[in-house]
Amino acid sequence: KIADFDTIEISNLNRIQAGLMDIGLNKSHVAARRVWELDPFVKLDIWDAGINENTLEDFVLGKEKLDIFIDEMDNIKLKILARRICKKNKIPVLMATDNGDGVILDIERFDLEPNRKIFHGIIEKNLDEIKMDKMERGEWIKMATQIINPAYMTERLQKSLLLIGKSLGGPAQLGSAALTAGGAISFIVRQIVNRQSILSGKYSISFDEKLISGYNNKDSKNQRKIATREFIRKIFYEKN
């Protein structure tokens, strides 16, 4: 099942397998066409109006129940509702978040751990108390930051988040990160459906760590810790 209400724009072409002739077309249609070009016999259920809180449960459980839910949504309310449905019905949830050139992976194996806390339990507030319909931009950024976890973020991503609503409309989304995320999610899906060992948790795929000289030396680690503490202070404690 593929759900997306949005249409292809020029700014998407650096990371979505689409071309100029696809601009203006629904993203779920473009994705489905790409799948059928690879395998014309695949059965797809296309939700080109997207999903909302009234249709989410039908998307997950209707017709054929999902084996795995892959979350690439911006809407935090839907993220929470989706996990509640998947947790109740023992469906694993996967999420990949761009992190500069790298990726942060979240794996929630509700199929193996039905009592596992949503988002690994890292959101401090009681999820029932969050007024998501009235959430202002600053509150959204704070909650999104908690979900991602600043300790996993690159310094450049931290700096970008502080500029959203000021000089940036949103954090940069790079083609290299999108391809890495797609490859990683595909690997995890394959492992789960083939009953291989994949544990719940938050994981980082970092080209910086593997390829940049001195990335893991003591001074570099301390510098990143200091930058993260400063980022947390600005996000959570400074008034905008």
Side-chain angles (χ1 to χ4, degrees):
K1 301 177 186 179
I2 306 173
D4 202 323
F5 68 90
D6 205 2
T7 56
I8 298 287
E9 300 177 9
I10 286 180
S11 60
N12 301 140
L13 298 184
N14 73 318
R15 61 191 182 277
I16 292 179
Q17 293 190 15
L20 285 173
M21 299 302 292
D22 298 314
I23 291 174
L25 298 181
N26 181 273
K27 288 180 179 178
S28 63
H29 291 181
V30 174
R33 186 180 66 194
R34 176 61 177 158
V35 171
W36 281 321
E37 286 172 352
L38 297 172
D39 184 350
F41 302 104
V42 171
K43 293 181 180 179
L44 295 177
D45 188 3
I46 302 170
W47 293 53
D48 55 12
I51 51 178
N52 55 48
E53 57 188 289
N54 296 318
T55 60
L56 179 58
E57 186 168 3
D58 189 35
F59 178 81
V60 176
L61 304 175
K63 290 187 178 179
E64 294 184 30
K65 173 183 170 184
L66 291 179
D67 296 302
I68 300 171
F69 185 91
I70 300 172
D71 169 17
E72 288 298 327
M73 302 180 288
D74 294 327
N75 188 308
I76 291 178
K77 183 175 185 178
L78 288 183
K79 285 179 179 291
I80 293 171
L81 294 176
R83 281 164 175 77
R84 286 175 173 166
I85 294 169
C86 290
K87 180 176 178 177
K88 181 179 179 180
N89 292 279
K90 298 183 179 180
I91 298 172
V93 177
L94 309 180
M95 180 172 69
T97 304
D98 289 5
N99 190 25
D101 280 291
V103 175
I104 300 168
L105 294 171
D106 284 276
I107 304 173
E108 295 170 275
R109 294 297 306 269
F110 297 123
D111 54 326
L112 301 179
E113 305 168 87
N115 295 320
R116 184 177 183 82
K117 290 185 177 181
I118 288 173
F119 293 127
H120 318 294
I122 60 176
I123 293 184
E124 295 176 358
K125 286 185 176 181
N126 184 327
L127 294 180
D128 291 323
E129 296 175 358
I130 298 171
K131 297 178 180 178
M132 291 171 283
D133 292 328
K134 300 179 180 179
M135 190 178 294
E136 296 179 354
R137 190 178 189 88
E139 292 177 298
W140 183 94
I141 291 174
K142 287 179 181 180
M143 183 166 289
T145 300
Q146 268 192 288
I147 291 170
I148 298 170
N149 191 341
Y152 286 82
M153 294 178 182
T154 64
E155 190 173 350
R156 292 181 70 186
L157 177 60
Q158 293 172 355
K159 290 179 178 178
S160 293
L161 289 174
L162 291 172
L163 295 175
I164 292 176
K166 299 174 183 176
S167 58
L168 290 179
Q173 295 178 286
L174 306 180
S176 55
L179 288 171
T180 301
I185 290 290
S186 298
F187 171 79
I188 297 165
V189 168
R190 191 166 62 248
Q191 293 294 103
I192 291 175
V193 298
N194 285 316
R195 302 184 186 281
Q196 302 298 310
S197 178
I198 287 287
L199 301 178
S200 295
K202 186 178 283 287
Y203 302 88
S204 175
I205 298 177
S206 171
F207 292 111
D208 293 348
E209 180 182 1
K210 299 298 181 184
L211 300 174
I212 293 180
S213 177
Y215 183 87
N216 280 320
N217 65 35
K218 186 176 180 180
D219 288 342
S220 294
K221 286 182 177 179
N222 286 336
Q223 181 179 335
R224 290 197 298 276
K225 285 181 181 178
I226 292 170
T228 296
R229 285 198 296 268
E230 180 65 10
F231 170 75
I232 290 171
R233 183 184 67 80
K234 289 181 177 179
I235 283 284
F236 292 103
Y237 301 109
E238 280 192 359
K239 292 183 179 181
N240 295 326

